[in-house]
Structure formats: structure tokens, C-alpha cells
Amino acid sequence: MSTVTHSSGQRRPDAVPPAGPAASRRAEAAAGSIGGRIFNGFSHLFLAVWAIMVIYPLFWVVMSALKTDSEVIREPLSLIPESLQWDNFARAWTAGIDSFFLNTLLVLVFSVTLTMLLGSMAAYALARYEFRGNRLIYWMFLSGLTLPIYLAAVPLFKGVYNMNVVFPLLGPNKHLTLILVYVAWSMSFTVFFMHSFFRTLPDSIAEAAQVDGASHTRTFFSVMLPMAKPGLISIGIFNVLGQWNQWYLPTLLMQSVAGEPKHQVIAQGLIELSVNQGYKSDWSGLFAGVTMAMLPVLIVYIVFQRQVQSGLTAGVSK
């Protein structure tokens, strides 16, 4: 207990000296720590709820793929099947998922490769070289992000069908047509993403390569493109996910024709399986097909999760 001396010489106890700057800083730090703990608690609670909302439907689909049809109808929300029905996957695979799966892989191998190659080359030229019309071309690419694909459905449909007259390899129900449409559809976002990433790379390395005698093409493929690996992996994953889950464009261009082999991809193939069931109601086989269509993209994202995060944060941190 502190004491204070008055002018009369008496000392009165219980007088508290005024708080100094150190005490006020300690009080502010304590209040800030309490507020930070409360905010962290709410953020962790929100993330936990969000994780449950995302994981539960995925887990429910996988568990439903291991049930019988009677279990799916009788107890649709239950997560534990009475017995694991692994034959559902074999039945779904032989019902047409195999051809849909292979068609999707065939299209994605070429479409994603061409999208990454052409998109990175265009983004590099726009980001590293100044020329007349640079910004105009860049904004033309970005304008593709504002155009919904539904607005271009009619001219795209007529153009594809008319193109078959001039180019026999193109036209409806041709994988090459879908590959080119996928490349054009994904090019805007690829150029936008890689343009920002190439601008963060140092100019000194490219200048050193050109001083050593490297051409612009050699500098791009041997120096700058390996340095942009995190960005390439990130945009590559986005293109794989977007093109794998695309349904509208394949439905518009890859229609089923009687007497011809099926060229559909996995998204429209699952819809066709559900429609062709009629009154048979093979729900367990349909869930197995959905699971097989879902697992590849999940595996790809889980394997390259760190690279995707580093690629997304590289442009900001630099």
C-alpha cells in the first residue's frame, strides 16, 4: 500500500499513483490478447463447421456406394452399411463408366497441356515485353472472364456443326473439337493468372540468359518456365478441376447418336446412367460411379495441395 505526503507533513495511505505508459501498454496488451483468443476461437469453430459441411457429403457418397439398393432407399442418411458391397464399383464400371472415364482422360491430357502451353506463352509475352497493343490484347483475354458460356452456346453450336463440312476431323461428337473448345474456354483465366505470376519473376535472370546467348524461346522454356513452376502447378490443378467437372460444353457438343460409339465424358455419362436406369433404380451403382468420378480430382488436389498454396501465395509475397 502506497502513501502520499501532504503539505502539512502528514502521510495519507491508500493513495494510488497515476498509471504510467508501461501500465497502459500492459492493459492494452491484455485486452488485445483476450480479443485475439476470442477471435481465434470463433475462427476455429467456423472452420470446424465448414470442414464438417464439406467432408460429410463426400463421406456419405462413398458410404452409399458400398450399400445395397434397399439400404440406400430404406436408410438414405445412414453412414455405416450393413455389409460392404464392393461389386457396386465393378457393376458401375462395366455399365459405361469405363468408356466415359477414358474419354475424359483423353480429352484432358491434350486440353490441359495445350492450355498450359499456349496460356503461359501468351502471358509471358504480355508480361515481359512492351509493344503496341499489349494492354489491348491483355484486356481482350480478360474480357473472356466476363462472358458467360451460355451466351455463346448458339454460335458455338452452329459453328461446330458447320466446321465439319470444311474440316472432317472437327464437328459434333469429335474429341478434337471438345479439346479446342476447352482450350479456348480456359485460356482467359490461365493468361490472367500466369500474367501476374510472370511479372513477379526477376528481370536480371532473363537478362543474364540473353547475355549468355540464349534466344527468347530458349530463355522462356529453359529459364523462366521452370521458375514459374508453382504457378503452373496451381493453374494446372484449376484447369483439371474445371474441365473434369465441365458438363455444359460436352452436353452441347458431344451428343449421343444412335448407331455410333459413345464419346461422352464422365460428367454427362453419369447423367446418362441415371436417366437410362428407368425403373431399375440402381442407386448403389450410381453412387459408385459418382465416387469413381470424384476420387481422381480429390487425389490430385491432395497430392499437389502444398504446390497449389505456394503458387497462390507466391505472387502476393513477392
Side-chain angles (χ1 to χ4, degrees):
M1 185 179 297
S2 61
T3 59
V4 178
T5 304
H6 292 269
S7 59
S8 58
Q10 297 179 354
R11 299 174 63 86
R12 184 173 63 85
D14 300 332
V16 180
S24 62
R25 285 196 297 268
R26 286 195 297 268
E28 292 176 358
S33 62
I34 295 174
R37 286 196 295 268
I38 294 175
F39 177 77
N40 289 335
F42 276 110
S43 62
H44 284 81
L45 179 62
F46 175 78
L47 292 176
V49 173
W50 182 261
I52 293 174
M53 293 174 61
V54 172
I55 295 175
Y56 178 81
L58 301 179
F59 187 70
W60 174 74
V61 170
V62 175
M63 290 295 101
S64 297
L66 298 174
K67 297 179 181 178
T68 60
D69 289 336
S70 59
E71 287 183 84
V72 173
I73 297 174
R74 186 177 64 253
E75 298 177 354
L77 298 180
S78 64
L79 296 179
I80 307 301
E82 296 178 359
S83 60
L84 302 180
Q85 305 294 324
W86 295 103
D87 59 328
N88 294 337
F89 292 92
R91 189 171 67 255
W93 183 262
T94 56
I97 294 295
D98 54 348
S99 60
F100 300 142
F101 200 91
L102 295 178
N103 289 335
T104 306
L105 288 179
L106 175 64
V107 171
L108 257 66
V109 166
F110 291 98
S111 63
V112 173
T113 303
L114 284 176
T115 301
M116 299 302 300
L117 177 62
L118 299 178
S120 59
M121 291 173 66
Y124 176 77
L126 294 173
R128 312 294 293 189
Y129 298 102
E130 294 293 337
F131 55 90
R132 181 175 298 180
N134 182 301
R135 302 304 297 174
L136 177 62
I137 298 174
Y138 175 71
W139 287 111
M140 288 180 62
F141 275 112
L142 260 62
S143 64
L145 297 174
T146 64
L147 178 66
I149 191 61
Y150 307 101
L151 295 180
V154 175
L156 180 62
F157 181 82
K158 292 183 67 65
V160 166
Y161 271 76
N162 294 333
M163 196 175 295
N164 191 27
V165 179
V166 182
F167 302 100
L169 294 178
L170 301 177
N173 300 322
K174 298 293 195 305
H175 287 147
L176 180 58
T177 301
L178 189 60
I179 290 171
L180 296 179
V181 172
Y182 273 177
V183 172
W185 175 65
S186 305
M187 188 64 65
S188 296
F189 184 70
T190 303
V191 171
F192 169 72
F193 187 92
M194 293 305 300
H195 181 273
S196 302
F197 198 90
F198 277 123
R199 290 183 68 89
T200 63
L201 299 181
D203 297 332
S204 57
I205 298 180
E207 294 173 356
Q210 293 178 0
V211 168
D212 291 340
S215 62
H216 293 288
T217 304
R218 181 68 180 274
T219 302
F220 171 72
F221 284 103
S222 300
V223 179
M224 305 304 291
L225 200 61
M227 292 177 60
K229 182 180 177 180
L232 291 173
I233 293 177
S234 299
I235 193 62
I237 296 300
F238 288 139
N239 284 327
V240 169
L241 295 178
Q243 297 180 15
W244 182 276
N245 296 324
Q246 179 60 235
W247 174 81
Y248 184 77
L249 289 176
T251 303
L252 182 67
L253 303 176
M254 309 292 289
Q255 301 178 2
S256 178
V257 180
E260 294 185 4
K262 295 182 178 180
H263 296 84
Q264 289 87 346
V265 295
I266 191 69
Q268 62 181 147
L270 293 175
I271 301 296
E272 184 172 340
L273 286 180
S274 64
V275 172
N276 292 339
Q277 283 183 6
Y279 296 100
K280 293 183 293 185
S281 67
D282 187 10
W283 296 109
S284 58
L286 185 59
F287 275 115
V290 173
T291 302
M292 287 189 289
M294 178 180 62
L295 287 180
V297 292
L298 288 178
I299 293 174
V300 168
Y301 182 78
I302 291 173
V303 171
F304 295 100
Q305 181 180 6
R306 293 184 180 275
Q307 288 82 352
V308 171
Q309 293 176 354
S310 62
L312 290 176
T313 57
V316 178
S317 61
K318 293 179 182 180

